[in-house]
Amino acid sequence: QTVVTQEPSLTVSPGGTVTLTCASSTGAVTSGYYPNWFQQKPGQTPRALIYSTSNKHSWTPARFSGSLLGGKAALTLSGVQPEDEAEYYCLLYYGGAQNWLFGGGTKLTVL
Amino acid sequence: QVQLVESGGGVVQPGRSLRLSCAASGFTFSNYGMHWVRQAPGKGLEWVAIIWYDGSNKYYADSVKGRFTISRDNSKNTLYLQMNSLRAEDTAAYYCARGTAERATALDVWGQGTTVTVSS
């Protein structure tokens, strides 16, 4: 059974930089997994941030960026704001099985 | 504006059925693949199913394969999820999401969700 793994929790200071990662139990994450990143605040619907590894939606703040890092998908927040405190989920596409899998989420605390 | 509105959730007994709907507006529905995603109370997101823009292909998570059916009516701009043989573990908020970019792999717009509770 394939598993997508994220850090359970991370803490960052306001104005700082933090990188969240997303790993696949099948091996290195590549662009062919079309990584997506979503932000979800308590009681709210998930909001899309990044698609296809590094592409931003029109509403995605500039401080969010996506990349591949060390065989994982990565989401970097630069100049973190208090309102960035949220749960972040990655989503990977497994084309062979025509399946999508979410990671377990990273709870980001801004402190 | 682009909008997705889910409906059809409720309380249902184990083993029974329920059909969810997702009404789309503000974009050409028939040009996009559509996904269902769910979230159990206090848990993370789980991808459930996708249907291609023309309904020609449908794929499911293993957890719902054989029990759930995704479908769409492009003339009504509506996406559906038929859920049969419901189990307690199907209790969740169900979201529809638009799939864009290559192979509908970018879930860009999400509905507000509809809640399904499976309980006797």
Side-chain angles (χ1 to χ4, degrees), chain A residues 34 36 38 40 44-46 48 51-52 57 59 89 91 93 95 97-104, chain B residues 35 37 39 43-47 50 59-61 95 101-108 110-112:
Chain A
Y34 298 92
N36 281 239
F38 303 90
Q40 187 180 33
Q44 295 186 16
T45 296
Y51 67 97
S52 298
H57 296 282
W59 53 82
Y89 294 94
L91 175 66
Y93 167 66
Q98 289 293 331
N99 205 3
W100 279 255
L101 287 176
F102 281 96
Chain B
H35 298 258
V37 175
Q39 186 170 35
K43 302 297 185 183
L45 300 172
E46 180 186 13
W47 177 80
I50 183 178
Y59 301 100
Y60 301 90
Y95 300 99
E102 188 172 350
R103 304 184 198 184
T105 52
L107 282 65
D108 62 348
W110 294 55
Q112 287 300 305

Side-chain angles (χ1 to χ4, degrees), chain B residues 16-27:
Chain B
R16 303 299 290 265
S17 299
L18 204 61
R19 188 177 82 158
L20 306 182
S21 299
C22 168
S25 60
F27 66 100

Side-chain angles (χ1 to χ4, degrees), chain A residues 30-39 47-60 64-68 73-75 89-93 100, chain B residues 32 35 98-110:
Chain A
T30 66
S31 59
Y33 286 80
Y34 298 92
N36 281 239
W37 290 93
F38 303 90
Q39 177 192 67
R47 181 173 78 133
L49 295 173
I50 300 288
Y51 67 97
S52 298
T53 304
S54 58
N55 292 282
K56 299 179 186 182
H57 296 282
S58 59
W59 53 82
T60 303
F64 291 86
S65 63
S67 65
L68 296 176
L75 175 70
Y89 294 94
C90 67
L91 175 66
L92 300 181
Y93 167 66
W100 279 255
Chain B
Y32 292 86
H35 298 258
R98 187 177 75 170
T100 188
E102 188 172 350
R103 304 184 198 184
T105 52
L107 282 65
D108 62 348
V109 178
W110 294 55

